[in-house]
Amino acid sequence: MRRSNLCLFMKGCLTAMAAMLVLVSCHDSDYLNAIPSESTALMSIDISKLDTKQAAAFMQLLPEQDVAKSGVDFSRKLYLFESPDGNLGLCGRVKNSDEIAAFLGSMKSTVVSPMEEYRGAHFAVIKDTWVVGFNDRSFLLMGPVSVEGQKVLRQQIAKYLDQDEEQSIAGSRILAKLDSIDSPVTLVAQAQALPDKLTAPFTLGAPKSADASQVIIAAKMNAVDKVLMIEGETFSFNKSINNALQKAYNEYLPITDKFVDNASAPHFFSIFMNVDGSKFINHLHDSNMLMGLLAGINTAIDMDNIIRSFKGDMLMAIPSYTDNQLQLAMAAQLGSHQWLQDVAYWKKSCPPGGKILDWQKNAYYYKGGDTSYYFGVTPSNLFYSGSSATLAQSTLNKAETPLSPTVAEQIKGKKVAMVVNLNAIENDKAQLARDFLKPVFGDLSTIVYTLK
C-alpha cells in the first residue's frame, strides 16, 4: 500500500472511530433527555466515586431489596432535579427495562402499585406518593404527589420520557456547569429553588431588580458527622448581575474566629461574614429578606447608620423558623461608634406607640407594639443586639451549645458562611428534602454553605 493510500486508510479508520465514540457517548448520555429543560435545581451523584459507606447506603435504598439488581445503570451518574412545577425527580440510565419491571414487581403490593403501560412507557406508584416511569432509555421517579394528582404527573413524566435533546436539560448551561465541578456529588440550582428564608446569603450583591431565578448556586457537596457541607460559588448567566455578584464577593474578607464560638447550634440560621459596613449596607438594601427583618426596627433606630460602622467580622442569627414574631440577633466588630451620639435624637423621634429606653452603659432597648430590640456597644468596640436582652448578650459569649468542631472549621477563612439547623425546620418540604438526600448523605442535622 502506497504512503498516500495508507494515510487515507488511517484517516478513514480514525474518522470511523470518532463517529463510533460520538454515537456511544450520545447513547450513554441520552437518558438525560428525560430531565425537563426548565428545572430549577440539578444535582448529580456519581455512585462509583462515593466512599464505601455512602455507596452501600445508597444500594440499600429500599429495605430488603438489592437496588444493584434494579435494572438501573449505576455506572452512570444519577441526577436529582426540581421540575418547573416544584416536584422532585430522580433520573437514571436504564440498563435493562425488563429487570426494572421485575424489580418493582417483586416488591410488596402495599409499597408498589401494579405496573401499567402508557404512551410507550411503563408506570407504577411507590407508597402512594412517588410516580415511577421508564422506557428503554430513561428511568424517572417523581413526586411527592397526592392520589388525585398521580394521573397528571404520569402524563408529565410520559412527556419527559419522550423528549429529545433540544427539549431537555441535556444541552443547557446548567448541565455544562454541573459537569465542570469535580466532586462525586455536585449541585447547580437557581436561588428560587431554595426556601425563602435561605436565599439571602446567595443573592447578596445582586441588583434589587434581579430575579431569584437569575442567581445560580454551583457547589460540591460532602457529608461528615451528620453535617452536609456545601462549598460553592454564586454567579449568574446574566452578565450585569454576575458582575454585581462578583464585585460584592471581592469586597468581603476572610472570616476569623471572632464570633464562631458564640453562635448557638440550636438556632435555625446563622450567617458569618467579614465586611466593610459602608459597602455592605448597599447590598443589604437590595436584599428584601434581610431588610424585611430590620423593617420594624428601622422605624425607630437608624440601623443603616449602625451597619455602616461595621468593620470586620459579623454574625447574624435567626433563632427560630417563624413568620409570627421577629427573632433576630446580630453582633459585629465596629470601626467606630459615633452613632451613639444620635440615640438621644432617636428617643425623641420615636414613632407613636414606641419608645427607646436606657438599658445599661452604652446600651438601649426599643419597645413598640410586638417588637422589642436591645442593642449596645462594648468597651472593646463590639456591637451586640437581639430581640431580647438575653439574646443580645448571648452574642458576646461562648454559646451554651456551640457549633460542633466540624462546622466551626468549615467557617473560618471563608468569605461567606451560612449554617442551617435542619432540626429547627418543622415543615413537610424540609423533611422531604432530608429523606431524599438520606441515601447519599445519611441522616443530616446541619447544612453548612460556604463561599471561599
Side-chain angles (χ1 to χ4, degrees), residues 146-190:
S146 64
V147 174
E148 294 77 17
Q150 288 173 9
K151 187 175 181 179
V152 173
L153 183 55
R154 185 179 71 168
Q155 292 172 339
Q156 192 71 61
I157 292 175
K159 176 185 174 183
Y160 292 155
L161 289 171
D162 198 40
Q163 291 181 152
D164 58 28
E165 184 175 337
E166 292 183 358
Q167 299 168 306
S168 74
I169 201 86
S172 70
R173 290 181 292 181
I174 282 184
L175 181 62
K177 182 67 177 179
L178 191 79
D179 286 343
S180 72
I181 305 171
D182 184 18
S183 179
V185 185
T186 57
L187 169 72
V188 177
Q190 297 175 8

Side-chain angles (χ1 to χ4, degrees), residues 230-267:
I230 306 175
E231 182 180 77
E233 62 172 313
T234 306
F235 70 100
S236 178
F237 293 124
N238 179 293
K239 186 175 180 179
S240 62
I241 296 174
N242 189 61
N243 288 341
L245 288 167
Q246 300 313 309
K247 181 176 182 293
Y249 172 79
N250 291 332
E251 292 172 358
Y252 307 145
L253 295 173
I255 300 163
T256 74
D257 58 1
K258 173 75 74 176
F259 297 113
V260 173
D261 289 339
N262 299 13
S264 177
H267 283 176

Side-chain angles (χ1 to χ4, degrees), residues 3 11 42 63 76 87 89 107 138 140 178 194 234 270 274 278 295 314 329 344 365 381 383 385 392 409:
R3 182 178 179 86
K11 185 176 180 180
L42 186 64
R76 306 296 297 172
N87 280 313
M107 298 172 67
S138 307
L140 283 181
L178 191 79
L194 304 173
T234 306
S270 298
N274 187 337
S278 63
M314 177 190 79
Y365 69 96
N381 212 28
F383 172 75
S385 66
E409 284 305 312

